[in-house]
Structures are given as structure tokens and as C-alpha cells.
Amino acid sequence: KGRPAMRFSRTPLLVRALFFFVIALPLATPVNFVVIQPGEGAPLFPKVLQLTQGFEEKIETYKPNGQMFLLSIWVSNPDAKVLGAEIVQCWVRSDCAVIPRSVVYKKGTNTKAEVKKSTAEMKVSQNTALAATKSLLEKKFPEVDTSELVDGALNISLKNTGGPSGGLIFALGLTEFLTPADLLQGRKIAASGTITATGKVGPIGGITEKIIAAKRVGATVLFASQENCEDLPTDVSGISVVAVSTLEEALEYLQKPAESSARGVIGCTNLSA
């Protein structure tokens, strides 16, 4: 008898092809999104926030009793090829967010342009924070000589960080640094918000990631703008998130006894706080 004819099924080949085009290929294909993750918390004292050389002898400073942190977030740059697999990995993590590229970056921009822009924004935020601090000191601490607080007196030494969101923490750090008042009271404090020369605090992006970053450095209080209230999570544990509209409001909170600090969100009416 002749040998029976062998039959080959096409099903495995079709399944492999389907898997490749439906699952494998998209995971290995660049997508038009950016990935946002919590960054680090940089301690301001004693190395980051300093007076520019030549101003140390003109301006009296005081040693802080505690620490303040400038918070950052990590955002994939506009030139990065973000793969579908990275998006999936981000989605399953609680400390990672995915946002369409067009929401974060303007069309046609590149990494070099964004770095230049964010560096310029940070420099402006430093000078604005100095102006806001000077105005606050003249009102709340008239005994402090502010005549030498001019543009260029403040020196922020921090690499690979930019943007305007450090304005509030710079102003709070300067207030602690330049007054005899013990605002920190041994605490670790963080803040993230823009600031105007008159002391108004503005919103920033990535507030949820900033909360995670603040917790990681052990901060017990995080100041944010009241304009970020809609973006705050409803349940915040292990830290006080204090929403303020002005630098003066943040100062008033810090002047309260440290043990009076409650955990959770404070200052947001939409969250009943």
C-alpha cells in the first residue's frame, strides 16, 4: 500500500501572523505619546539654593532647621521613540502616566529647543521668586534688610532641571534662608507651583507625580496651587497637600506649630478640605 498523503494545517501560520500584526508589531512600533514619571526631590540646602558670590557678605542668612525640596518629573523628550510596549508597561504602573505628544510639545519642536526653553523658564522663575520674596519680607519681616536682593543675587545650582514650577519653593526657601524665623521646625517640606513677582501661586503639570516624588524624599508637607485642586487625587495618605493661592498663605501655614499639621488635602473646596 502507498503511504498516506501528509496534510499540513495553515492554522498555526495564520495564528502567528495574526499575533505579529495585532500584538507584536504594535508593541515594537513608535507611538505618538510621551511618558511621564515621578522625578527626584532635590534638597535646597546647603548646595542648591545659594547667594551669588559677592553677595554673601552683603546679605545676612540663617541656617535652616530642616529641609526643602525642589520636585521634578521625568518626561520623555520630543525626539524619543516611545514604543507601544513602553506605553503598556506604563499603563499597568500606578506611578506612570501617558499623554498624547501634542498636549506636551508643540509641533516641530525638538529636544534642544525644549531644553533651551525650560532652562530660560527656570531662570525667570528664580528672578521672579526673588522679587516675590523681597515683597513678602518687606511686609512680614520689616527688620530684614532687602536692599541687596536684586536680580543676580540668587544662585541656583541644579543640572538637568528646568521649567517654571520651582518658583514657589525657591521663594519659600529664600524666606527660610533670609529670616531668623524657624519656618521648617525640623520638617521636610516640598512645593511645586509657579509664582509671580506679587506672590501669586500658579498651577503646574504632573501634580500627581510630584506628590509621589515628595513622599519618596520623606516630605510631610507639599504646597501646591489652588488651581491644581481639580487635578489632585481624592485620597492622599502619608502627607499634607496644602493648596495655596499666594506665597503669604504658604508662609502663614508654615508659621503654625508643626504638630498641628494634618494629613490629606487642605485648601481645596472641591475635595471638602
Side-chain angles (χ1 to χ4, degrees):
K1 295 181 179 180
R3 298 173 67 180
M6 297 182 67
R7 295 183 177 180
F8 295 91
S9 172
R10 295 177 59 86
T11 303
L13 179 61
L14 290 174
V15 170
R16 289 197 297 270
L18 183 64
F19 176 85
F20 177 77
F21 285 105
V22 175
I23 299 178
L25 185 60
L27 292 178
T29 302
V31 291
N32 201 25
F33 288 88
V34 296
V35 174
I36 300 178
Q37 302 178 63
E40 299 178 348
L44 294 189
F45 312 114
K47 295 183 178 180
V48 172
L49 193 154
Q50 298 177 322
L51 295 176
T52 304
Q53 187 175 6
F55 284 88
E56 301 98 325
E57 297 179 358
K58 299 178 181 179
I59 301 175
E60 186 173 8
T61 60
Y62 302 84
K63 186 178 179 179
N65 175 28
Q67 188 58 268
M68 291 190 179
F69 292 88
L70 170 68
L71 304 175
S72 64
I73 57 175
W74 184 88
V75 184
S76 54
N77 65 57
D79 298 332
K81 292 184 178 180
V82 180
L83 304 181
E86 295 177 73
I87 299 300
V88 174
Q89 291 174 358
C90 184
W91 275 334
V92 300
R93 291 169 48 191
S94 60
D95 63 345
C96 188
V98 177
I99 298 178
R101 191 183 301 267
S102 59
V103 174
V104 179
Y105 297 119
K106 292 183 178 180
K107 186 177 180 180
T109 190
N110 55 45
T111 301
K112 184 177 180 180
E114 289 299 318
V115 169
K116 183 178 180 180
K117 174 186 174 184
S118 64
T119 300
E121 288 175 337
M122 187 172 183
K123 183 61 179 177
V124 170
S125 76
Q126 294 172 23
N127 291 335
T128 306
L130 190 64
T133 303
K134 184 173 182 178
S135 177
L136 180 71
L137 296 183
E138 291 171 349
K139 180 179 181 180
K140 294 292 185 177
F141 302 92
E143 71 279 9
V144 175
D145 182 8
T146 62
S147 60
E148 295 293 338
L149 290 181
V150 297
D151 284 354
L154 177 61
N155 179 33
I156 303 294
S157 177
L158 195 62
K159 296 181 179 179
N160 303 321
T161 303
S165 64
L168 176 57
I169 194 64
F170 291 151
L172 288 174
L174 277 169
T175 304
E176 170 68 31
F177 196 38
L178 300 175
T179 65
D182 182 14
L183 302 179
L184 285 173
Q185 304 178 61
R187 293 173 291 184
K188 292 181 178 180
I189 304 295
S192 193
T194 63
I195 199 163
T196 67
T198 58
K200 182 179 179 181
V201 178
I204 51 92
I207 187 63
T208 300
E209 288 73 29
K210 295 287 181 71
I211 294 173
I212 295 172
K215 288 183 178 182
R216 287 178 178 175
V217 296
T220 57
V221 177
L222 167 64
F223 289 104
S225 169
Q226 284 188 340
E227 294 183 57
N228 273 126
C229 282
E230 296 291 339
D231 308 313
L232 292 173
T234 55
D235 182 25
V236 177
S237 60
I239 192 171
S240 300
V241 179
V242 183
V244 296
S245 61
T246 66
L247 175 61
E248 187 172 342
E249 288 179 8
L251 171 66
E252 290 173 354
Y253 184 89
L254 288 176
Q255 289 177 318
K256 297 178 182 179
E259 59 271 15
S260 68
S261 297
R263 297 293 183 266
V265 179
I266 301 168
C268 290
T269 56
N270 64 306
L271 297 177
S272 299

